[in-house]
Amino acid sequence: MRFHADLHIHSKYSRACSGDSDLEHLTWWARRKGVTLMGTGDFTHPLWSEQLRDKLVPAEPGLFRLREDLDRDILRTLPSGLASGQVRFMLSVEISTVYKSGGRTRKIHHLVYMPDFDAAAAFNRRLGQVGNLSSDGRPILGLHSRDLLEITLNSGEGAYLVAAHAWTPWFGVFGSKSGFDTIEECYGDLADHVFAVETGLSSDPAMNWRVSALDRYRLVSHSDAHSPPMVGREATVFETDLDYFAVLRALRTGAGHAGTVELFPEEGRYHADGHRGCGVRMEPQETREHGGICPVCGKPLTVGVLSRVEDLADRPEGVRPAGAAGFRRLVPLPEIVSEILGVGPKSKKVLREIDRLTAALGPELAILEDVPVDDIRIRSPLLGEAVDRLRRGEVIREAGYDGEYGVIRLFEPGELERLSAAAAPALF
């Protein structure tokens, strides 16, 4: 079967994450978005682990589903068109490791997956000897990346690790601030056990294809959601059985790994270089011309993902390695509706319109990827035009930098007013 997977999320026990990030809300939003397989996030946290054991029941091999009584309550609140979507969970956690290597302090994030609660418990026992797992859903540990990988592999058959948001300046394996130049430098003699790399919100596969050393890795994308409405903003597409070990085989071999759904990388918070406090945003060439120094305050710029890819690239833009899975760049539906209505993406007006759209047309990812544009135009001429442009890649991009999200728009300034007048009396 073909399905979307979002395997990097956080619970309410992670810092700066929504109090709504519980299993019920995550399941509701997964159905709304059209995501079939979810990571649990944060299984190392004692209180979250307790809830996972209480509220999840075994489903397919290595996967879990929400307890039936809880799921029934969720289904009552969903439009009938979304009620048929099944949602499964696999045990996942993001680990932050901080340590000295090569004369530098390294701060690297990793995604770890376990096939069952026994393996997760073994992993937690070992990590509990290193640091305090109850302090944060994403624990920060004084542990070498190589040693974390060894603990993962020793926890149970099928346990595996993925390099998280690999290009992020502060916490990615290739990050400009504290990362490495290769996977081998990071994971040492166990590097061959790493077979997947998460591109992160500020890069996409096309950027990663410029680095030939990454050809052997499966490129995955996930939302890194800190609140349930962010679920599915990026996702990985599989064509396998719905089964933990089938997903694992697809990542190891490539067979069944059907590609990814991506934000436009310019929307990510660290795509370009710059200084947010000074309002300075630069392309890689400009950064080099300024010697990496902010022209306003004289301090070092935060070097973003685009520059870092340029540093490590050994291929020109536009090269696609043989056998590489494809991808699609999307703009989240709330952002598109927000642009059309001229109000914030979290406003009640936007949420009401999306309620109507998903009730009529299906999950958000299906609307963006698959629903015929003519069917969308019947509901909203402007939304149909926006989705048509999106599928052709005709967007206006303002790149994010130094922690500031970028902006992707579908319409030129003033264009919506003209089109809205022609679409009167209603936008939707």
Side-chain angles (χ1 to χ4, degrees), residues 302-374:
T302 298
V303 175
V305 169
L306 186 59
S307 273
R308 189 65 176 135
V309 171
E310 290 277 358
D311 288 343
L312 299 184
D314 56 357
R315 289 174 174 150
E317 293 182 26
V319 173
R320 178 174 176 172
F327 68 98
R328 299 180 77 168
R329 299 186 186 104
L330 300 178
V331 177
L333 189 58
E335 293 180 19
I336 299 175
V337 175
S338 168
E339 183 180 358
I340 292 171
L341 294 179
V343 295
K346 297 179 182 179
S347 68
K348 290 182 179 178
K349 192 172 183 180
V350 167
L351 295 177
R352 281 197 302 269
E353 295 299 345
I354 293 181
D355 283 343
R356 295 186 184 114
L357 288 167
T358 54
L361 300 173
E364 291 182 31
L365 284 170
I367 293 171
L368 295 174
E369 293 188 279
D370 302 319
V371 174
V373 169
D374 286 345

Side-chain angles (χ1 to χ4, degrees), residues 9 16 22 57 96 113 115 136 156 167 173 199-200 203 216 264 282:
I9 64 101
D22 54 36
V57 295
S96 175
Y113 301 94
D136 193 353
W167 297 95
V173 63
T199 60
S203 87
R216 64 182 292 263
F264 284 82
M282 290 186 176

Side-chain angles (χ1 to χ4, degrees), residues 263-334:
L263 295 176
F264 284 82
E266 292 85 354
E267 189 167 359
R269 296 192 299 160
Y270 293 101
H271 182 74
D273 308 330
H275 245 181
R276 179 173 47 176
C278 297
V280 171
R281 175 174 55 198
M282 290 186 176
E283 293 293 308
Q285 182 58 36
E286 295 177 277
T287 302
R288 286 192 285 271
E289 290 170 358
H290 285 84
I293 299 300
C294 175
V296 175
C297 69
K299 295 179 181 178
L301 295 163
T302 298
V303 175
V305 169
L306 186 59
S307 273
R308 189 65 176 135
V309 171
E310 290 277 358
D311 288 343
L312 299 184
D314 56 357
R315 289 174 174 150
E317 293 182 26
V319 173
R320 178 174 176 172
F327 68 98
R328 299 180 77 168
R329 299 186 186 104
L330 300 178
V331 177
L333 189 58

